[in-house]
Amino acid sequence: RGALVNTYMGAHAHEVRGVACTSSNDRFASCGGDRQVFLHDVGTGAVVRKFRGHEAKNVNAVSFSRQAGDQVLFSGGFDATCRAWDCRSNSVEPIQVLRDFRDSVTSLAASGYDVIAGSVDGTVRSYDVRTGKAVTDTFSGASSPPVTSVSLSSDSQCILVGVLNSRVGLLDRASGELLAQYHGHKNEEFKVDSMLTNDDAYVVSGSEDGKVYFWDLVEAEVVQTFEVNRNGAALAALAWHPEGEVL
């Protein structure tokens, strides 16, 4: 139990900032301070594709499109763009570049033909990649703090948004209405993940105090915390198991 299964080395020369797995778990994408995105084979450990094109060093987030059979990969980075890549093509060019952001793209979530992107400019932008239509929402109006995390509810009708004022908000995708806010954790400096459990009953977030926080979705009250980093180091990255109650 808790045994290390594999370590994937050799692709990145700088820090790793984001990872996304395909639904079949046979491949995963990673990004970081290398100005490119790597596509890995889980079984062999080999890098099967490299996607270059981001104009700034750091690429912050990656996400596969399930609607496209995990063959379209999105990436977002410090160059204030979100780029779409065709994993089946040998082309080195992205198939689409979204440039509406005024600052770094920090987080991504793909749903159907849409990709949702959070940015340091304080916006959450939802794009229909077929039509190019974009919808822009903010957490708290014109002065919204930088967005550090975006994730979707199980029915894709709501967006969970983490921001750099130690708040997590639940937005209605259709109207942009802020349905609820969750607080008690610390997120003032780093990119910290937040998400919903599979049944949408709880909101989960990391924290700069080294803990995991759980809130009741409806009551918006902290119901549980777990200390993960006893030295107090920030707990930035989280992943919820797609089929089980495992964090």
Side-chain angles (χ1 to χ4, degrees):
R1 292 182 179 181
L4 178 64
V5 176
N6 204 349
T7 301
Y8 299 88
M9 302 177 64
H12 291 275
H14 300 278
E15 76 277 8
V16 178
R17 289 175 168 261
V19 174
C21 294
T22 61
S23 53
S24 60
N25 295 320
D26 61 341
R27 295 177 301 166
F28 71 93
S30 64
C31 64
D34 304 276
R35 200 179 295 198
Q36 55 189 319
V37 177
F38 299 94
L39 185 64
H40 308 256
D41 183 278
V42 171
T44 66
V47 174
V48 296
R49 289 294 306 277
K50 296 179 182 179
F51 302 106
R52 302 181 178 92
H54 279 281
E55 298 160 6
K57 176 182 177 182
N58 292 320
V59 183
N60 295 320
V62 284
S63 181
F64 284 100
S65 171
R66 305 300 189 210
Q67 187 70 31
D70 293 328
Q71 297 303 322
V72 174
L73 175 66
F74 296 99
S75 62
F78 267 42
D79 60 357
T81 70
C82 175
R83 296 170 186 259
W85 311 91
D86 187 345
C87 296
R88 297 164 296 188
S89 170
N90 291 323
S91 173
V92 297
E93 299 297 326
I95 56 178
Q96 196 167 14
V97 181
L98 307 172
R99 299 183 179 274
D100 297 324
F101 307 93
R102 298 190 303 274
D103 210 324
S104 173
V105 177
T106 59
S107 50
L108 299 171
S111 171
Y113 293 105
D114 294 345
V115 59
I116 296 91
S119 173
V120 173
D121 66 14
T123 63
V124 177
R125 289 181 168 87
S126 300
Y127 294 92
D128 185 322
V129 296
R130 299 167 300 177
T131 65
K133 179 183 177 181
V135 176
T136 301
D137 295 307
T138 59
F139 188 95
S140 56
S143 60
S144 184
V147 176
T148 65
S149 175
V150 293
S151 60
L152 290 164
S153 59
S154 60
D155 61 4
S156 297
Q157 298 305 303
C158 295
I159 308 172
L160 191 70
V161 183
V163 294
L164 272 187
N165 66 352
S166 300
R167 292 289 189 276
V168 177
L170 188 69
L171 297 178
D172 182 272
R173 282 189 68 187
S175 67
E177 179 186 357
L178 181 62
L179 303 175
Q181 293 191 57
Y182 310 89
H183 58 88
H185 67 308
K186 182 180 180 182
N187 185 198
E188 299 173 350
E189 184 178 358
F190 301 114
K191 179 180 182 293
V192 170
D193 286 344
S194 56
M195 65 195 65
L196 291 158
T197 55
N198 290 343
D199 58 3
D200 292 336
Y202 300 98
V203 172
V204 189
S205 179
S207 177
E208 292 170 12
D209 61 8
K211 297 178 181 178
V212 176
Y213 286 74
F214 285 76
W215 293 266
D216 182 273
L217 177 73
V218 177
E219 300 298 330
E221 295 180 352
V222 176
V223 295
Q224 185 64 272
T225 64
F226 297 99
E227 185 177 58
V228 178
N229 294 332
R230 294 184 178 180
N231 60 0
L235 180 62
L238 299 175
W240 193 264
H241 194 286
E243 298 178 357
E245 298 300 311
V246 179
L247 179 65

